[in-house]
Amino acid sequence: GIQVEQSPPDLILQEGANSTLRCNFSDSVNNLQWFHQNPWGQLINLFYIPSGTKQNGRLSATTVATERYSLLYISSSQTTDSGVYFCAVGTGANSKLTFGKGITLSVRP
Amino acid sequence: EAGVAQSPRYKIIEKRQSVAFWCNPISGHATLYWYQQILGQGPKLLIQFQNNGVVDDSQLPKDRFSAERLKGVDSTLKIQPAKLEDSAVYLCASSPGGRQPQHFGDGTRLSIL
């Protein structure tokens, strides 16, 4: 099956710093989503981005499908950005999602 | 728009007992998913429904897990009998269709004693 690798596995930032989270995948995909899992376990949609670039406030994402990677940018980080960030890619006719292992982000005040 | 509803939020049972989880998807969403998330890992798809038909259950341990979506709306996932390794968060998600974004409920945290 498809492999999804996220890096770095852990990230510690000072409040106000910027960061880039990476997702590499091993095959063609027809769906890609970024999620934020907060400390309460809720999985929040950030972006649906099988290709191209999108922005939502301090967050933006870029997927280069031909090179099989996606990037999530967080600018001016806040403590509420802490949690685990998952990349999930969809393949096949039913676009079955396969998740990466996640990136644990801690933003210090 | 109301989100994906799941219940219960927490469940503690002893091994070999049975347990059931309930999910109500976002109104109008034809596709419903059940995921298992073990601590420290990403969610893993257990079963996918399109309306009330199963389209993928390749990772569902069918000797102990079962799921149904009888009227094409809400769904139940059952484990019988439970094993210690079933301790996890069970997440339900829905989407309008296969290649549309999936939206997740808050999950049910299951602990097996």
Side-chain angles (χ1 to χ4, degrees):
Chain A
I2 192 167
Q3 303 300 311
V4 182
E5 294 184 1
Q6 294 187 245
S7 60
D10 301 282
L11 191 55
I12 299 174
L13 298 176
Q14 205 65 31
E15 197 169 28
N18 303 327
S19 63
T20 301
L21 286 60
R22 187 175 182 101
C23 173
N24 292 333
F25 41 96
S26 61
D27 205 346
S28 299
V29 300
N30 53 34
N31 185 352
L32 191 146
Q33 291 185 248
W34 281 97
F35 296 91
H36 174 215
Q37 191 161 44
N38 63 25
W40 295 270
Q42 295 172 315
L43 205 57
I44 310 298
N45 270 312
L46 296 177
F47 294 101
Y48 169 72
I49 188 166
S51 63
T53 297
K54 291 186 177 180
Q55 181 157 6
N56 184 4
R58 297 180 297 105
L59 303 182
S60 64
T62 295
T63 296
V64 184
T66 53
E67 297 187 19
R68 299 181 183 170
Y69 73 88
S70 183
L71 302 174
L72 177 69
Y73 306 96
I74 303 175
S75 65
S76 304
S77 59
Q78 301 176 357
T79 56
T80 51
D81 295 331
S82 296
V84 182
Y85 289 79
F86 287 103
C87 168
V89 301
T91 58
N94 298 317
S95 201
K96 170 182 173 178
L97 280 187
T98 299
F99 281 74
K101 293 183 177 180
I103 296 170
T104 301
L105 174 64
S106 298
V107 181
R108 304 284 171 81
Chain B
E1 165 180 90
V4 177
Q6 289 190 246
S7 67
R9 286 284 281 129
Y10 305 94
K11 190 73 176 178
I12 301 174
I13 62 172
E14 295 184 349
K15 60 183 179 183
R16 292 188 289 273
Q17 287 187 323
S18 62
V19 64
F21 315 124
W22 174 82
C23 172
N24 192 32
I26 293 173
S27 178
H29 280 194
T31 310
L32 184 147
Y33 314 80
W34 283 103
Y35 289 85
Q36 179 192 59
Q37 185 177 20
I38 292 173
L39 187 65
Q41 300 180 17
K44 180 185 80 171
L45 180 70
L46 292 175
I47 188 167
Q48 176 180 345
F49 291 94
Q50 181 74 21
N51 297 309
N52 60 348
V54 175
V55 296
D56 188 334
D57 63 357
S58 56
Q59 297 189 94
L60 186 74
K62 299 180 186 64
D63 58 334
R64 298 183 299 106
F65 286 65
S66 64
E68 61 183 12
R69 192 184 185 200
L70 291 176
K71 297 182 179 179
V73 180
D74 57 352
S75 175
T76 56
L77 175 69
K78 297 179 182 178
I79 307 175
Q80 181 179 8
K83 291 186 175 181
L84 293 176
E85 60 259 36
D86 299 332
S87 293
V89 176
Y90 291 84
L91 294 160
C92 179
S94 70
S95 75
R99 296 187 185 186
Q100 299 297 312
Q102 296 183 25
H103 301 267
F104 283 76
D106 289 346
T108 296
R109 187 175 300 274
L110 175 66
S111 297
I112 313 293
L113 303 179

